[in-house]
């Protein structure tokens, strides 16, 4: 499966070889097809690989040059940098529909057959040979490399049933084709290439160099037409790592990926990828679930999660060779949304709005996504949790300074001068929080600073803004805070 959308147009009309010939169609190699569509998008000023955030000026130009040159390529980067997403997006550069011989295991073009079976079909049926149409979403194959991946999985193997039926071992029709030949005339991806055993890498080498396949010592001449793309961790993709040198040499281009460089790109990626709404694809929501299915995530909370992710990545306590995946931030924001929905369901809020009190739920949920460089051997060691909690507070403080710099919050502080306190918590509803504060000076200005539209200034939005201000005042040492489990009390 790919990220390619469903067919935007019906398949073309020709259903026989004769009809296809009458249209003047000619076979086009897959790399030429990709090149033509890529150049058309570039000329029209359209995004060439839509959905790739933060790669516009770095990774994408290198990928575009490789595709124009007709190179197979390998993407090098740490986990969670969007390598697989980028590879799947390449399918969008294929023609929407392409003709194939009906029944072909190799997606053969009716005007350029390559197998014994296809030649026999055309010889028997002539212009009446049935022709089908393959959508580009079905022209993608991928395999996650593991040490137990076999040649049969990728290339193919002799089918013992066909041999038992009387065919000889040297007969090409005894072959049960693997994933690579079955993706002929498409894009094939090998994820984590160095994890393949060396003999499997040798089999791929033959596909890259000769564009044919060898099975159990028999050379089956199949001029495969495909774009081969691989991904790997840079540490493994070296002559001293787990990649054989000849295979490394056959890829036409190596492209280094990276995590979002700018904070704005990190935020944009979160907004694009995180699923914080549970409305169906057709807009349908089960009766009674409409309000809870669309929680509001204020912009300042998205920024905190983005800053938190960047701080974790940059921490000297985190294994830099492993990296911190973009999925760390995505799962974190989704957890914040779920915490807000849980509170709304329990406390009866009319609309779930995420608040600062929902942020601590990220830490235990995301702990398993981080590999620490100095992890202790004691399984009860809580240093990792303490580090993540510290970095989360740091991200909150940075966001507060960035968004509320110069904002006069003395009116809010003055509420606590007489010894009053304000209690919050993960299950404290918005009206209960606001009711403890009474009239809040300059609330409209605070909401404006946090990007809340004038028509959307509900009690839940106000509570989210006020709680962020209270937390910011605490982190800048202008208020005190006491936390006990899910209960938080702010005071002077």
């Amino acid at each position: 499966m790919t990220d390619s959308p469903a067919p935007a147009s019906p398949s073309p009309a020709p259903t026989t070889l004769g009809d296809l010939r009458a249209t003047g169609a000619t076979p086009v190699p897959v790399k030429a097809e990709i090149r033509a569509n890529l150049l058309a998008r570039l000329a029209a000023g359209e995004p060439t690989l839509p959905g790739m955030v933060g790669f516009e000026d770095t990774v994408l130009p290198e990928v575009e040059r490789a595709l124009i040159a007709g190179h197979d390529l390998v993407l090098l980067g740490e986990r969670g940098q969007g390598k697989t997403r980028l590879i799947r997006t390449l399918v969008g550069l294929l023609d929407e529909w392409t003709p194939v011989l009906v029944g072909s295991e190799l997606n053969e073009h009716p005007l350029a057959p390559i197998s014994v079976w296809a030649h026999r079909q055309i010889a028997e049926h002539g212009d009446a040979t049935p022709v089908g149409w393959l959508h580009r979403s079905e022209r993608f194959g991928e395999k996650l490399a593991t040490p137990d991946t076999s040649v049969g999985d990728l290339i193919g193997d002799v089918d013992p049933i066909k041999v038992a039926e009387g065919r000889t071992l040297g007969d090409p029709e005894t072959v049960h084709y693997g994933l690579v030949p079955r993706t002929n005339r498409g894009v094939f991806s090998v994820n984590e290439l160095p994890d393949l055993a060396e003999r499997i890498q040798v089999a791929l080498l033959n596909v890259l160099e000769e564009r044919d396949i060898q099975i159990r010592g028999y050379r089956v001449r199949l001029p495969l037409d495909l774009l081969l793309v691989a991904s790997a961790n840079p540490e493994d993709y070296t002559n001293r790592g787990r990649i054989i040198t000849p295979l490394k040499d056959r890829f036409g281009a190596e492209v280094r990926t990276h995590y979002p460089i700018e904070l704005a790109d990190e935020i944009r990626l979160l907004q694009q990828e995180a699923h914080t709404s549970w409305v169906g694809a057709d807009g349908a929501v089960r009766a009674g679930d409409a309000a809870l299915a669309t929680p509001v995530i204020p912009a300042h909370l998205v920024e905190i999660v983005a800053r938190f992710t960047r701080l974790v990545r940059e921490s000297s306590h985190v294994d830099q060779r492993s990296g911190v995946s973009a999925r760390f931030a995505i799962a974190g924001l989704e957890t914040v949304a779920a915490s807000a929905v849980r509170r709304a369901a329990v406390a009866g809020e009319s609309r779930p709005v995420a608040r600062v009190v929902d942020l601590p739920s990220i830490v235990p949920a995301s702990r398993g996504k981080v590999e620490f460089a100095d992890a202790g051997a004691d399984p009860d060691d809580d240093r990792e949790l303490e580090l993540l909690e510290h970095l989360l507070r740091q991200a909150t403080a940075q966001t507060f300074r960035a968004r509320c710099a110069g904002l006069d919050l003395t009116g809010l502080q003055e509420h606590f001068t007489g010894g009053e306190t304000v209690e919050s918590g993960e299950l404290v509803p918005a009206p209960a929080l606001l009711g403890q504060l009474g009239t809040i000076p300059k609330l409209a200005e605070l909401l404006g600073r946090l990007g809340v539209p004038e028509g959307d200034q509900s009690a839940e939005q106000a509570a989210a803004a006020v709680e962020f201000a209270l937390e910011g005042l605490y982190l800048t040492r202008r208020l005190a805070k006491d936390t006990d489990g899910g209960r938080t009390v702010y005071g002077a």
Side-chain angles (χ1 to χ4, degrees):
M1 297 296 291
T2 73
D3 295 330
S4 182
S9 59
S11 60
T15 57
T16 66
L17 181 58
D19 293 341
L20 185 64
R21 279 202 182 104
T23 65
T26 56
V28 178
V30 67
K31 291 180 178 179
E33 184 181 324
I34 289 174
R35 181 189 300 115
N37 291 328
L38 172 60
L39 292 174
R41 288 190 183 185
L42 288 171
E46 300 174 359
T48 54
L49 297 170
M52 302 310 304
V53 175
F55 285 177
E56 294 87 351
D57 301 322
T58 53
V59 175
L60 295 191
E62 293 187 38
V63 172
E64 290 163 2
R65 286 190 285 267
L67 295 176
I68 292 170
H71 289 160
D72 297 304
L73 65 151
V74 59
L75 302 177
L76 303 180
E78 285 76 29
R79 64 178 179 177
Q81 290 187 345
K83 299 186 296 296
T84 302
R85 174 66 178 268
L86 192 156
I87 292 170
R88 292 176 178 175
T89 306
L90 294 175
V91 178
L93 292 173
L94 295 168
D95 291 341
E96 184 172 11
W97 295 99
T98 192
V100 293
L101 283 172
V102 173
S104 171
E105 295 179 331
L106 305 176
N107 300 332
E108 294 166 86
H109 196 289
L111 300 176
I114 61 174
S115 69
V116 173
W117 173 89
H119 284 287
R120 187 170 61 246
Q121 284 287 102
I122 294 173
E124 288 179 5
H125 302 287
D127 283 350
T129 303
V131 169
W133 292 86
L134 196 66
H135 190 256
R136 61 184 164 213
S137 60
E138 299 178 80
R139 297 171 66 190
F140 176 76
E142 65 181 331
K143 175 66 176 173
L144 175 61
T146 56
D148 63 344
T149 301
S150 68
V151 174
D153 293 333
L154 284 181
I155 308 301
D157 205 345
V158 173
D159 188 337
I161 296 176
K162 293 180 180 178
V163 174
E165 290 173 349
R167 292 190 175 97
T168 64
L169 285 175
D171 186 344
E173 292 192 82
T174 62
V175 175
H176 175 79
Y177 295 110
L179 291 170
V180 173
R182 288 176 182 271
T183 315
N184 183 44
R185 300 181 60 226
V187 178
F188 189 80
S189 163
V190 182
N191 295 318
E192 307 304 333
L193 177 64
D195 287 345
L196 286 179
E198 289 188 359
R199 64 188 183 89
I200 315 301
Q201 294 184 34
V202 170
L204 273 182
L205 173 65
N206 205 63
V207 171
L208 279 171
E209 182 67 14
E210 304 294 339
R211 295 293 170 178
D212 64 12
I213 59 176
Q214 294 181 8
I215 297 173
R216 293 191 179 273
Y218 293 97
R219 187 166 184 244
V220 181
R221 182 64 184 171
L222 286 175
L224 296 178
D225 176 24
L226 51 81
L227 172 68
L228 185 62
V229 188
S231 68
N233 187 299
E235 185 180 356
D236 298 327
Y237 194 78
T238 65
N239 297 339
R240 299 176 303 280
R242 294 175 292 178
I243 191 78
I244 63 171
T245 304
L247 179 60
K248 187 172 184 287
D249 184 54
R250 293 312 189 276
F251 282 100
E254 294 179 11
V255 178
R256 286 296 302 261
T257 59
H258 56 77
Y259 295 115
I261 297 172
E262 303 293 337
L263 175 64
D265 289 334
E266 196 89 56
I267 293 172
R268 196 154 54 98
L269 181 65
L270 268 175
Q271 293 170 332
Q272 174 180 286
E273 298 296 326
H275 296 288
T276 57
S277 170
W278 296 280
V279 178
D282 57 354
V285 182
R286 210 171 66 177
D289 290 348
L292 298 180
T294 54
V296 175
I297 314 296
H300 64 274
L301 287 186
V302 179
E303 183 175 334
I304 291 173
V305 174
R307 288 182 183 273
F308 174 50
T309 304
R310 296 168 74 82
L311 288 171
V312 174
R313 267 189 208 127
E314 295 164 2
S315 172
S316 60
H317 298 283
V318 172
D319 186 353
Q320 298 300 314
R321 295 172 301 177
S322 174
V324 178
S325 167
R327 288 179 285 272
F328 174 91
I330 293 166
L333 192 63
E334 291 171 348
T335 301
V336 168
S339 179
V341 170
R342 178 175 177 270
R343 176 176 56 254
V346 173
E349 288 183 313
S350 59
R351 179 80 184 275
V353 176
R355 305 197 321 240
V356 166
V357 75
D358 298 310
L359 289 172
S361 62
I362 298 176
V363 173
S366 60
R367 182 180 186 181
K369 294 184 181 294
V370 181
E371 294 185 17
F372 292 90
D374 51 358
D378 184 358
D380 296 326
D381 192 350
D382 289 332
R383 286 180 301 168
E384 292 89 347
L385 284 176
E386 291 173 2
L387 173 65
L388 292 175
E389 288 167 355
H390 168 72
L391 294 176
L392 183 58
R393 289 192 295 271
Q394 193 175 337
T396 306
Q398 288 179 357
T399 304
F400 177 74
R401 293 189 188 99
R403 288 185 170 263
C404 296
L407 183 62
D408 183 9
L409 295 174
T410 54
L412 186 58
Q413 282 182 264
E414 287 172 357
H415 174 80
F416 300 92
T417 54
E420 291 87 349
T421 61
V422 171
E423 181 177 338
S424 183
E426 59 183 30
L427 295 181
V428 175
L433 176 63
L434 296 175
Q436 300 174 67
L437 288 162
T439 302
I440 302 170
K442 299 189 176 181
L443 175 60
E445 188 176 348
L446 174 62
L447 290 170
R449 280 289 190 96
L450 298 182
V452 180
E454 286 190 17
D456 197 25
Q457 294 181 356
S458 62
E460 290 80 11
Q461 288 273 30
V466 169
E467 192 171 83
F468 175 61
L470 292 173
E471 184 70 11
L473 291 171
Y474 159 67
L475 292 172
T476 53
R477 301 182 179 181
R478 286 182 275 175
L479 283 182
K481 185 176 84 165
D482 182 43
T483 302
D484 182 15
R487 179 174 173 269
T488 300
V489 178
Y490 294 97

